[in-house]
Amino acid sequence: MKLLIQRVNHAEVKVEGDTAGKIGKGFLVFVGVGKNDTREIADRYLKKLLGLRIFEDEAGKTNLSLSDVQGELLLVSQFTLYANCKKGNRPSFIEAGAPDKAEELYEYMIREASKVVPVVQHGIFGADMKVSLENDGPFTIILDESIL
């Protein structure tokens, strides 16, 4: 699994011109599911994601979590996080999870995050999505197997 996390002031994902998900202050998270990922792995990533302390406190230190700032969460599926560009110029995606398995884990993450975060929005799995955001910082973090 790979997560690309952006701390945002606001973010929105549209499908065919219609808003699928929209948040204010919080995390925009691109979710890549790998071919060997499981619910247990997704749980570890969610725990790390929701515990990240990357919002500034009153002293200007990145010391506050998403819940500390009543932040919102926008999850967007993105298999291209598994792009392998080592050979040639055309990326390979053989390490990405099969679409049915990836969608199941993506939907699982949405359900589980919704148990903890009051506002969880999301894109539409497999759709052609247009994502807009205002990155706060900018502040972007990548979580992958090297981190967990």
Side-chain angles (χ1 to χ4, degrees):
M1 186 161 283
K2 296 182 182 190
L3 302 183
L4 187 138
I5 304 156
Q6 297 193 46
R7 185 179 75 184
V8 298
N9 291 322
H10 56 84
E12 180 177 16
V13 59
K14 291 185 175 188
V15 176
E16 296 181 6
D18 295 324
T19 298
K22 183 177 183 177
I23 63 166
K25 180 178 186 172
F27 293 157
L28 165 61
V29 182
F30 294 99
V31 179
V33 176
K35 66 181 181 181
N36 297 318
D37 287 336
T38 63
R39 285 185 177 200
E40 292 76 21
I41 291 170
D43 288 339
R44 286 199 332 256
Y45 277 81
L46 276 171
K47 182 178 179 184
K48 179 63 86 173
L49 167 68
L50 299 178
L52 283 176
R53 298 182 339 190
I54 62 172
F55 290 96
E56 293 179 358
D57 62 18
E58 61 281 346
K61 302 276 185 191
T62 52
N63 200 30
L64 301 177
S65 69
L66 192 65
S67 64
D68 293 330
V69 299
Q70 292 80 48
E72 301 174 348
L73 188 59
L74 176 57
L75 299 172
V76 176
S77 64
Q78 188 169 2
F79 78 95
T80 60
L81 290 175
Y82 275 90
N84 182 330
C85 300
K86 289 182 182 175
K87 292 184 179 179
N89 292 319
R90 182 172 182 223
S92 167
F93 299 101
I94 61 172
E95 294 300 315
D100 57 339
K101 177 185 168 186
E103 183 173 14
E104 187 274 323
L105 279 176
Y106 173 65
E107 296 293 336
Y108 172 78
M109 291 182 75
I110 293 167
R111 286 191 308 274
E112 292 302 303
S114 295
K115 294 176 182 178
V116 181
V117 180
V119 176
V120 177
Q121 297 282 299
H122 55 86
I124 298 175
F125 186 89
D128 179 19
M129 295 177 276
K130 307 302 180 201
V131 180
S132 61
L133 66 130
E134 182 177 273
N135 191 312
D136 180 22
F139 208 119
T140 303
I141 292 178
I142 299 171
L143 293 183
D144 62 16
E145 58 274 357
S146 70
I147 304 295
L148 301 175

